[in-house]
Amino acid sequence: MRQLKISVPTSWEDITLEAYMKFTAIDTDAKEEFIQVKALSYFCGVTELDAIDMKVKDRQAIIAQITEVLNQEPQFTQAFSLFEKDYGFHPNLDEITFGEFIDLEKHQYNIEDLDK
């Protein structure tokens, strides 16, 4: 069996929005092994085949670490930069524009719209 070097998330900062959105789209009625393979693929960047080939004890330890991170309360970040563009949250929701309000209403409850 070949050795894999993988990065296991230790905080919410290590989890991309894309990976989180993919993971939350998994059917909750799916088999546990399927969910674990997808979690390893999305959060650790391993192929599904490599995840299937892992030793059970190794996979369980990594899944426990991922679960611990997902159970943490995410830390709020007021502003951040991504690809040299600044983003942030409006500091006073009483002062938002009508267009901003419409966007909030439209996208706030749908997990598929988190990136909007």
Side-chain angles (χ1 to χ4, degrees), residues 74-86:
Q75 185 176 3
F76 177 71
T77 302
Q78 180 71 32
F80 60 95
S81 294
L82 182 65
F83 303 121
E84 299 181 14
K85 185 168 182 171
D86 295 329

Side-chain angles (χ1 to χ4, degrees), residues 99-110:
E100 291 169 329
F101 176 78
I102 296 298
D103 286 345
L104 283 173
E105 285 292 308
K106 181 179 178 183
H107 300 297
Q108 70 178 332
Y109 297 110
N110 192 347

Side-chain angles (χ1 to χ4, degrees), residues 27-39:
D27 183 2
T28 56
D29 292 331
K31 291 187 176 187
E32 186 65 28
E33 182 175 295
F34 176 83
I35 294 171
Q36 288 180 2
V37 166
K38 291 294 189 179

Side-chain angles (χ1 to χ4, degrees), residues 3-116:
Q3 283 190 318
L4 287 177
K5 183 174 182 175
I6 64 172
S7 296
V8 181
T10 58
S11 72
W12 274 102
E13 291 177 353
D14 298 331
I15 296 177
T16 65
L17 181 57
E18 178 183 20
Y20 181 72
M21 289 173 65
K22 285 180 178 179
F23 183 72
T24 58
I26 297 173
D27 183 2
T28 56
D29 292 331
K31 291 187 176 187
E32 186 65 28
E33 182 175 295
F34 176 83
I35 294 171
Q36 288 180 2
V37 166
K38 291 294 189 179
L40 289 166
S41 175
Y42 298 151
F43 299 132
C44 301
V46 300
T47 67
E48 291 180 15
L49 186 58
D50 285 336
I52 290 169
D53 286 342
M54 279 184 183
K55 292 180 182 177
V56 173
K57 68 177 184 148
D58 293 338
R59 183 168 38 182
Q60 288 175 337
I62 295 169
I63 292 298
Q65 176 71 38
I66 292 170
T67 302
E68 184 178 315
V69 170
L70 294 176
N71 287 333
Q72 293 173 1
E73 185 70 29
Q75 185 176 3
F76 177 71
T77 302
Q78 180 71 32
F80 60 95
S81 294
L82 182 65
F83 303 121
E84 299 181 14
K85 185 168 182 171
D86 295 329
Y87 296 88
F89 293 91
H90 204 295
N92 186 351
L93 293 180
D94 290 333
E95 299 294 323
I96 63 174
T97 67
F98 185 64
E100 291 169 329
F101 176 78
I102 296 298
D103 286 345
L104 283 173
E105 285 292 308
K106 181 179 178 183
H107 300 297
Q108 70 178 332
Y109 297 110
N110 192 347
I111 196 85
E112 290 90 21
D113 291 338
L114 281 178
D115 57 335
K116 295 174 177 63

